[in-house]
Structures are given as C-alpha cells and as structure tokens.
Amino acid sequence: MKILVCITNVPDTTAKISFTDNNTKLNKAGVQYIIGPYDDYALARAVELKEKLGGSITVLNVGEAESDPQIRKALAIGADDAVRVNAEPTDSYFTATQIAAIAKEGGYDLILMGRESIDFNSGVVHGLVGEMLGIPSFSPVMKLDIEGTTAKFAREIEGGKEFLEAPLPLVLGCQEPIAEWKIPNMRGIMTARTKPLKVVEPIAVGDMATLGQYTLPAPKGACKMIPADQAETLISLLKTEAKVL
Amino acid sequence: MVLIFVELDNGSIKKTSLEAVAYGAAVAKATGTTATALAIGTADAAELAKTGAYGATKILHANAAELANENAMAYASVLAAAVKNENAEVVILPKSGLCDAMGARAAAKLGASIVSGVTELPDVSNGFKVTRSIYTGKAFATVDVKGAVKILGIKKNAIEAVEGAGSATVEAFMPALNNGDFVAKVTGQEKASGELSLTEADIIVSGGRGMKGPDNWQPLLDLASALGAATGCSKPVSDLDWRPHHEHIGQTGIKVAPNLYIACGISGAIQHLAGVNSSKVIVAINKDPEAPFFKAADYGIVGDVFDILPRLTKAVKDAK
Ligand SMILES: Cc1cc2nc3c(=O)[nH]c(=O)nc-3n(C[C@H](O)[C@H](O)[C@H](O)COP(=O)(O)OP(=O)(O)OC[C@H]3O[C@@H](n4cnc5c(N)ncnc54)[C@H](O)[C@@H]3O)c2cc1C
Ligand SMILES: Cc1cc2nc3c(=O)[nH]c(=O)nc-3n(C[C@H](O)[C@H](O)[C@H](O)COP(=O)(O)OP(=O)(O)OC[C@H]3O[C@@H](n4cnc5c(N)ncnc54)[C@H](O)[C@@H]3O)c2cc1C
C-alpha cells in the first residue's frame, strides 16, 4: 500500500489576518503555521492504514522552504519520506499540476488530501488531480477502509452521508471523523530529522489566475445588548430594524 | 457565452442556483453575450424554464437514469461537454460540495481557470477580475482570471437574485457518458428527510455545549420550527454525538451564510466564527457576558438559554 498525503502549510486557525506591502502580502509577523487541519485528518488516517496494512507514506507539499517545519512534523507523525515542490502555490490549477506530476511518478494506490485548504478554502485540488491522473476523486470523505484493492468509504452529502466502494487508485479529500488528529511522540520527532525530504523544482504551467490585492471585511458594528427580561423585543427588532424576519 | 450549472433538489432548482443564474446573467450582460443554464437530473420543463426569470435565455437539460445519483465525475463530463457545445467562456457554479468537485474535474478536462468562493460580480473593464473569500471568511483577495475558459464557484449572497418575467427555452442535452465515471458503487445512504439544508437556509438556529446535553435540544428545535429555520451546532456538540455530524458549523465543518444566525450557548471560538462570519445578522445568547460571540454579534442577550429560547418561540408565534 503506497499512500501519498498532500499537506498545506497554513496560518493557525486562531491567526489574526492582516496584510502588508500595500495589501499584497500576508503579514506573517506573529502568525504561527500549521499543517492544514483537514490534511492532518488525512495524514492520521494514512498512519492508521499503514499500521494495519503495511506499506509506506509519502508527504507532499507545494510550497517554499518555510513549509519544512510542517513537513518534518508530518514525518514525525508517521510519514516515511517527503517531497516539496519548491514554488509559491498561488493557484489551485498550478498546485494540482505539480501534485499530479509527483503522483504519476510515484504510482500511489491512494492519494489522501484534506477536504479544503484553510487559506484559500477552494476544495478543488483533489478533483483537479483526480482528473489530471484519470482516476476517481471523492470529497469530503469521513470514513475510509481498504479491503484488498477496494476502498470502502463514506462521503458527507447534504443532510447525511453516502456509502461507496471504488477500486484503487483513488484521490480522496478527507475530513473528520475519519481519524483522530495525531501528536508526534519523541521517537517520531527524533527519526523525522533523518527521514528523506526531497526538494524538486516545479513544472511550468500557463498563467491561469494571478493574485491581486487583499482586503479585510468591514469592521462589525457594536453588538446591541437586549436585557434578558425583555428578550421578546429581539423578535420585533429582527423584524423592523434588521429586517431579517 | 456564459454557462450556469443549476443544482436540483427533488426536482426543484435550489435557491442558491437561481442566484447563480442571476449572477451569470449579469456577467453575460456586462460582456455582451447570453446566459445558458444547465441542469442534470429529473425536473419538469416548467421548473427548468424558471431560470428564464433570472436571466437565462435557454436551459440545457441532461437527464438519464445513470445521472440520478449526484455523481460529480459524470456531472463534470456533462458540464465539460456543454461548455464545448456552447462555446462557453465563463462557467458559473453555486458553491457546494458537488459543484466544487464537478467544477474541478471539468476545469482539468478543459484546461480552464477555476476560482472558488467568489463573493462579487467580476470587474470586466480591464481583463476579468473577481473578488474571492479567503482565510475562511477572514479576508478577501482579488484574482485576475486568465484562462480562455473561466470557471467560478460563487458564494451565497454574491448577488441579490431578483425574479423577473422571462422564461427559458428547455433543450434536451445528452452527451455520451463515460464508463470510467461510474466505477464507484453507492452501497448505501443515510439522509435526514424533509430537513432544511444549512447552506440554503435563510435562518439558522445553532446550539453549543451550553445546551448541556442531547436531551435538551427541544427548546432550540421549537424556535427553529417557529422561524422556519435550519438547525446547526458547534464542533464539540457533534463530536459528543449530541447532534449529527452534518450539522457541525465552523472552520472544520459547514460554512454558512444565512440572513439570520442565532447562536445558543456557543462561546464564539474563532474556529466557530469562521463558519458563520458571512451571515448578515448574528444573534448570540449566552449566560456569560464576556463570551467572545458578543464581539461578533449584532444582537446579544445575556441569559440562560433554557429561559430565553421558549420565550423567543412564544414571541415569534405571537407575532404571526
Ligand atoms: C501568496 C501566497 C503564498 C502561498 N504560499 C504557500 C506556501 O508557501 N505553502 C503552502 O502550502 N501554501 C501556500 N499558499 C496557499 C496555496 O496557494 C493554496 O494552498 C493552494 O493554492 C491550494 O489552495 P486551494 O484552496 O485551491 O486548495 P484546496 O482545493 O482547498 O485544497 C484541497 C487539498 O489539496 C491539498 N493541497 C492544496 N494545496 C496544496 C499545496 N500547496 N501543497 C500540497 N497539497 C496541497 C491539501 O491536501 C488540501 O487539503 C499560498 C497562498 C498565497 C496566496
Ligand atoms: C483546528 C480547530 C478547528 C476547529 N473547528 C471548529 C469548528 O469548525 N466549529 C466549532 O464550533 N468549533 C471548532 N473548533 C473548536 C473551538 O475552538 C471551540 O472549542 C468550540 O467552538 C467550542 O464549542 P462551544 O462554544 O459549543 O463550547 P464552549 O466553548 O464550552 O462554550 C459553551 C458556551 O455556552 C455558554 N453557556 C453554558 N451554559 C449556558 C446556559 N445555560 N445558557 C446560555 N449559555 C450557556 C458558556 O458561557 C459558553 O460560552 C476547532 C478547534 C480547532 C483547534
């Protein structure tokens, strides 16, 4: 079982977002980076599957050198080796093209991703990669088991879930409760230092979409507090003032 | 030509899809072309023709037994065929799990640009620039879309959809289907029936750990039913199995954009707020005056949910 897990290097979910350079760059001061939470679920399930079925896990990131601490963390959690495509991934199509190229070379049985990145929240890279490789893709997957060369999994649909079976290889975008997030242990951290991390240059992709300027949402006005003993007035305010009822 | 994919729910076009049609029609108008819709699955002609009231001149209808399940791969093949058939330059999809997946696969088939999470009409005065939501609603970015075919996933409320008078001509459209799109076998489905969908809902009543347990949800459900609202919850609530997972809202759950979001006994952690910050009006009910939710809310009540909720339900019923 050869598994490829694609991880993003993203600002922590509690990070305060602001911009510099005339709103063209993220202000990274004080921002802590993490493995995308959904990618973390994908990695955790990959580690469990490897424990059960044997095989290997490769982690892949399209990003610059600042991703390396997160890649090392993924190695500490249980991946065997890593590849970083050395480029600023500013567009889904560009990123997917890089991932598809690495995936093709490696011949993986299973390509696990997160349901979406938490910086751009597109939820499209798995579909793009699946189509580029000519194999099926599904997302968001909340349960996954492998039996021989068949994947048995559950996908969240509106108002519930759908159970599916499909032959490997597959691309899956993962979300909870597919597995519990894993914390690296001391031994993992020690061995991660010497596990291979290969850095490769990107392949050229035509310019599909270029980032311009960032903006922040308009600040929220003050909250109107309604005394508990007059709670009922909320309903009339929602009708007449906010006009949402 | 602008092509708009509309999602069907039991034969009816979803509201967010009608918004997508209005958005597509506005883009068509700005670029001096026409808007065509595409629906996949079973629906009657009168329902499909409704897209005309939102600006589509015609609607392509792909219907076959094989397309009854929402199969993103097969749907992507139909979408890509329609793009080629109609020479579409811009493709609009409402933002949803199905649409992200089919849009992505269609983009790879067509070598198209894909931008998801678009929040406003594009600026077509010089190129094709769109504004999209990033960092889970904490910021926006403008993106210059350059592909010959441009696929946009638009967020709820990206445009106000006003119903007009027109009617679209319905045309059957059935490209050959690929066997490769049907390798997965659907072995079962669990779906709450008759439930309002969170992504479509105009009003959501949502509960957190302050509801204290799965058996205490009735007052919240009562308010939701009086308001015609969908129900949601915080992550710990679904982690604890107090409520089903598909109700989980936030950074790692569903992102919603209702007109009204009522948070009951939810503290307002940044990861929860990330899923609700596109709501028009937010109400927070919490017994702790320091709860962070009040900083993100428009209206707040400091009080016990078990006291406040039944009174609000009564006030809604009395006002009817
Ligand atoms: C200026 C700028 C600089 C950036 N620099 C970096 C950076 O240095 N490193 C970085 O990781 N991201 C970086 N990003 C984010 C990056 O652009 C996005 O992660 C990428 O474009 C895909 O976003 P998406 O929303 O389309 O992904 P989605 O479609 O939402 O992602 C789905 C899944 O695809 C996989 N995936 C997505 N992106 C990557 C990736 N880059 N590498 C591996 N797997 C991926 C993940 O498993 C993810 O859960 C940067 C973004 C900007 C704007
Ligand atoms: C990577 C990551 C991703 C996450 N993603 C999500 C996500 O998607 N969605 C999400 O919700 N969380 C998410 N979380 C968890 C988040 O940080 C919070 O822990 C969570 O939102 C808290 O849920 P809560 O408000 O229901 O519970 P609590 O924080 O325990 O808050 C309960 C609130 O109820 C109030 N209360 C108690 N009793 C009453 C009463 N009788 N009447 C009125 N008020 C009462 C309390 O004052 C308190 O404010 C994530 C966390 C991480 C680290």
Side-chain angles (χ1 to χ4, degrees), chain B:
Chain B
M1 221 280 301
V2 179
L3 182 71
I4 305 115
F5 174 69
V6 296
E7 262 186 285
L8 297 173
D9 180 18
N10 276 322
S12 306
I13 300 173
K14 289 190 181 181
K15 218 175 74 201
T16 43
S17 288
L18 292 174
E19 256 176 43
V21 174
Y23 184 101
V27 175
K29 196 165 169 220
T31 51
T33 171
T34 56
T36 296
L38 166 71
I40 303 177
T42 309
D44 61 36
E47 177 68 16
L48 297 171
K50 253 174 47 185
T51 50
Y54 295 86
T57 45
K58 99 178 156 182
I59 176 161
L60 305 175
H61 185 207
N63 195 10
E66 296 92 319
L67 298 172
N69 273 322
E70 287 186 359
N71 176 335
M73 287 183 281
Y75 281 31
S77 297
V78 174
L79 177 65
V83 168
K84 285 192 189 140
N85 208 53
E86 302 289 314
N87 282 318
E89 281 148 358
V90 178
V91 181
I92 308 296
L93 299 122
K95 175 123 178 112
S96 76
L98 171 69
C99 290
D100 285 343
M102 66 185 280
R105 293 198 70 112
K109 285 180 201 285
L110 298 163
S113 292
I114 179 162
V115 180
S116 179
V118 172
T119 57
E120 282 170 33
L121 281 172
D123 173 0
V124 294
S125 59
N126 175 20
F128 195 100
K129 294 192 182 69
V130 297
T131 302
R132 65 173 300 182
S133 164
I134 57 169
Y135 296 110
T136 325
K138 288 194 233 172
F140 302 93
T142 57
V143 181
D144 201 347
V145 194
K146 298 191 172 151
V149 177
K150 304 167 178 68
I151 302 183
L152 307 183
I154 66 156
K155 274 189 82 166
K156 189 164 179 267
N157 296 334
I159 188 170
E160 183 127 18
V162 186
E163 191 174 347
S167 170
T169 41
V170 182
E171 229 173 69
F173 176 74
M174 206 52 241
L177 299 172
N178 301 329
N179 287 334
D181 293 336
F182 296 93
V183 293
K185 206 165 72 201
V186 178
T187 56
Q189 215 184 55
E190 274 172 23
K191 202 169 168 166
S193 61
E195 221 175 68
L196 225 89
S197 118
L198 277 170
T199 44
E200 292 277 305
D202 283 329
I203 307 177
I204 294 170
V205 185
S206 189
R209 206 142 52 180
M211 295 297 294
K212 301 276 195 316
D215 304 330
N216 298 338
W217 237 259
Q218 201 54 46
L220 190 154
L221 299 177
D222 289 343
L223 177 62
S225 110
L227 288 168
T231 54
C233 68
S234 69
K235 177 168 164 19
V237 165
S238 69
D239 285 350
L240 291 163
D241 272 335
W242 294 0
R243 298 296 299 168
H245 188 269
H246 66 258
E247 283 195 3
H248 159 201
I249 291 173
Q251 179 104 48
T252 47
I254 297 179
K255 281 98 194 155
V256 296
N259 292 333
L260 175 61
Y261 186 81
I262 304 179
C264 312
I266 306 178
S267 58
I270 193 159
Q271 296 96 352
H272 186 81
L273 297 180
V276 306
N277 53 18
S278 302
S279 310
K280 275 194 190 141
V281 173
I282 293 177
V283 173
I285 305 168
N286 198 301
K287 69 172 186 195
D288 174 9
E290 303 296 323
F293 225 129
F294 291 123
K295 291 205 180 65
D298 301 280
Y299 296 95
I301 302 176
V302 177
D304 185 333
V305 282
F306 301 107
D307 163 41
I308 306 290
L309 285 174
R311 287 169 52 206
L312 292 180
T313 307
K314 184 165 182 301
V316 172
K317 287 185 176 157
D318 288 350
K320 271 185 184 157

